[in-house]
Amino acid sequence: MNQSATSATQKTSPMSNSPRTVKFLASILAGDPLNLIEAIRIAERAGADMISLDVSDGHFVPTISFGEDVVRRTVESTSLPVEVHLMVSRPDDWIERMDGCGHAQMLFHLEASSRAMGVVNAIRQKGVKPGVALNLETPISAVAPMLPYIDSVCLMGIVPGFAGQKLMDTTYRRVSELRELIDQSGSAVTITVDGGVKAHNAVQLVDAGAHCLVMSSGIYGATDPEASLREIRARL
Ligand code: DX5
């Protein structure tokens, strides 16, 4: 069963006074790399709305994580939708490599391409929802021209590549700035925060305007991973 409809948290936006849904993505990067199926099952039992797969190439970021086989097998192994977060230098190559893997959405880093709109179109042509991820130092304004063409913007709360880092304080202001830009544009683009999301900062991120939160060590490093999302939802 797709749990996204049942487990997402309803919250009233302080900006719009209308109900909105906060979605949680479980990034299995901090799960056991030799037991990814268990990481997927933990995400399901915890009530995650989506699985996030961080694909890194050892170039855009220093780490190497998952390739297309893991994406395909993850999609085959769960009823949760799967997001691919490309942390790679040549996103076009990876769009082709992952063609047909069944992922629902794909993010690439704005910093990784000089032809970002071409990458957006290439993802969309594969029947996948395109999104853009922004590193900490990339101005929010850089994404403004792309809002009509993408489904989501992911703001990194950390330097990408590694799970377990602390959320940078500038993230709250960046989320607010992006939310204002999106609301003013009348766009339906959603804001995701990835990196450093924990129980103690989730409320503030949602209050700042985030629609979706990615968590890895907050789930897989928790004493009781399956309780981790329940505790956060209860706070929201
Ligand atoms: C890091 C990844 C994140 C990471 C988050 O570059 O994009 O998804 O797994 O890990 P935590 O939640 O531990 O910061």
Side-chain angles (χ1 to χ4, degrees):
M1 186 187 76
N2 187 326
Q3 299 179 6
S4 59
T6 53
S7 55
T9 301
Q10 291 288 326
K11 183 175 177 68
T12 299
S13 163
M15 297 182 192
S16 65
N17 282 331
S18 61
R20 67 181 174 187
T21 303
V22 180
K23 291 193 173 176
F24 285 90
L25 289 80
S27 161
I28 64 173
L29 193 64
D32 180 352
L34 291 183
N35 196 358
L36 292 180
I37 190 65
E38 178 56 14
I40 293 166
R41 297 291 170 252
I42 287 171
E44 292 169 341
R45 292 195 294 262
D49 299 293
M50 189 175 283
I51 304 275
S52 174
L53 292 178
D54 289 308
V55 172
S56 56
D57 62 353
H59 188 261
F60 183 74
V61 294
T63 48
I64 293 179
S65 57
F66 315 124
E68 59 271 29
D69 292 339
V70 170
V71 175
R72 183 180 300 104
R73 290 291 295 126
T74 300
V75 171
E76 288 171 357
S77 305
T78 181
S79 58
L80 290 177
V82 172
E83 173 184 273
V84 172
H85 174 190
L86 293 177
M87 296 185 287
V88 301
S89 293
R90 296 163 60 105
D92 289 280
D93 296 355
W94 293 80
I95 294 165
E96 284 305 320
R97 286 174 69 158
M98 295 191 173
D99 186 18
C101 285
H103 44 295
Q105 50 196 58
M106 180 177 259
L107 308 175
F108 70 100
H109 274 262
L110 202 53
E111 305 84 8
S113 181
S114 55
R115 53 176 297 278
M117 271 313 301
V119 177
V120 167
N121 291 334
I123 295 172
R124 182 84 72 192
Q125 277 166 13
K126 300 295 184 190
V128 176
K129 292 180 179 176
V132 173
L134 264 56
N135 280 346
L136 292 159
E137 67 279 6
T138 302
I140 297 296
S141 57
V143 82
M146 306 183 70
L147 290 179
Y149 309 102
I150 57 178
D151 286 71
S152 62
V153 177
C154 175
L155 296 182
M156 298 306 300
I158 56 168
V159 176
F162 305 91
Q165 302 173 66
K166 184 178 174 296
L167 181 92
M168 296 293 288
D169 288 340
T170 52
T171 309
Y172 306 108
R173 178 184 49 74
R174 287 171 59 77
V175 171
S176 301
E177 190 184 338
L178 177 58
R179 182 60 185 261
E180 205 176 320
L181 187 68
I182 288 172
D183 287 350
Q184 279 172 1
S185 74
S187 148
V189 167
T190 58
I191 301 172
T192 301
V193 178
D194 183 4
V197 177
K198 296 285 185 325
H200 68 85
N201 55 31
V203 174
Q204 203 178 337
L205 289 168
V206 171
D207 285 347
H211 304 95
C212 305
L213 301 174
V214 180
M215 285 177 65
S216 195
S217 57
I219 296 175
Y220 298 103
T223 315
D224 182 351
E226 287 154 35
S228 57
L229 288 190
R230 280 199 302 275
E231 284 166 18
I232 295 185
R233 287 188 203 279
R235 294 186 188 205
L236 288 174

